[in-house]
């Protein structure tokens, strides 16, 4: 099944779901001639994480025009696939009849860890690369 509209969900809509949104536009654009609508949202939106922006820029994907959004801003009838990305936290609830996938990925920000700038960025790269792998597999299905 080729989705017409995909929604990525996590709590803050700042890192995982933002990176997934940017990557999905690239991956789906390469695999499908027609457009797949891609969105992301969270239950407690904040801002797009600067480390997510940096990690994605390394691949030529620009997240600077994306913004953190609440799940309440998304019309349930406009989504046919929801992918939740929460691991330790509780993912937002999304009402609607969309197909659902759960890809539990740890929050790359690691706020509770004392990391160098390079160490923190590396966690974002690992998450980015795992998202890319899963999105490529999804696009081939």
């Amino acid at each position: 099944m080729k989705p017409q509209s995909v929604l990525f969900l996590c709590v803050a809509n700042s890192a995982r779901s933002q990176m997934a949104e940017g990557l999905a536009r690239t991956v789906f654009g390469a695999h499908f001639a027609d457009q797949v609508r891609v969105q992301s949202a969270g239950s407690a939106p904040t801002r797009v994480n600067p480390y997510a922006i940096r990690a994605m820029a390394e691949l030529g994907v620009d997240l600077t025009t994306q913004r953190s959004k609440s799940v309440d801003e998304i019309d349930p009838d406009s989504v046919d696939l929801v992918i939740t990305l929460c691991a330790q936290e509780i993912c937002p609830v999304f009402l609607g009849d969309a197909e659902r996938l759960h890809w539990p990925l740890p929050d790359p920000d690691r706020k509770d860890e004392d990391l160098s700038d390079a160490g923190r960025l590396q966690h974002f790269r690992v998450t980015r690369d795992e998202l890319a792998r899963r999105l490529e597999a999804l696009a081939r299905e």
Side-chain angles (χ1 to χ4, degrees):
M1 168 197 133
K2 181 192 137 209
Q4 298 299 307
S5 179
V6 178
L7 173 64
F8 296 96
L9 288 179
C10 65
V11 175
N13 189 221
S14 65
R16 292 165 289 191
S17 54
Q18 290 289 342
M19 290 191 295
E21 179 181 348
L23 282 167
R25 285 197 179 100
T26 301
V27 170
F28 294 158
H31 285 273
F32 306 121
D34 52 339
Q35 190 72 354
V36 174
R37 183 176 186 198
V38 178
Q39 304 175 84
S40 68
S43 55
T46 56
R47 62 169 173 51
V48 181
N49 190 299
Y51 288 97
I53 293 170
R54 287 174 57 189
M56 295 303 295
E58 293 175 351
L59 298 183
V61 177
D62 182 9
L63 299 187
T64 60
T65 60
Q66 293 179 197
R67 68 177 181 85
S68 187
K69 297 166 290 306
S70 170
V71 68
D72 297 332
E73 295 179 48
I74 308 298
D75 175 9
D77 294 331
S78 71
V79 177
D80 56 32
L81 176 61
V82 175
I83 301 175
T84 53
L85 302 167
C86 306
Q88 300 90 346
E89 39 318 70
I90 297 173
C91 269
V93 173
F94 185 76
L95 302 177
D97 297 326
E99 179 182 350
R100 295 166 197 288
L101 295 175
H102 182 58
W103 295 349
L105 298 173
D107 186 350
D109 198 26
R110 311 285 173 100
K111 293 178 184 88
D112 298 332
E113 295 180 27
D114 185 23
L115 298 169
S116 67
D117 188 57
R120 192 166 308 281
L121 182 59
Q122 184 57 31
H123 286 291
F124 280 81
R125 289 178 180 134
V126 168
T127 299
R128 173 201 68 198
D129 295 346
E130 180 60 21
L131 285 167
R133 185 190 69 73
R134 292 180 188 205
L135 285 165
E136 285 287 345
L138 179 64
R140 285 190 302 271
E141 285 181 6

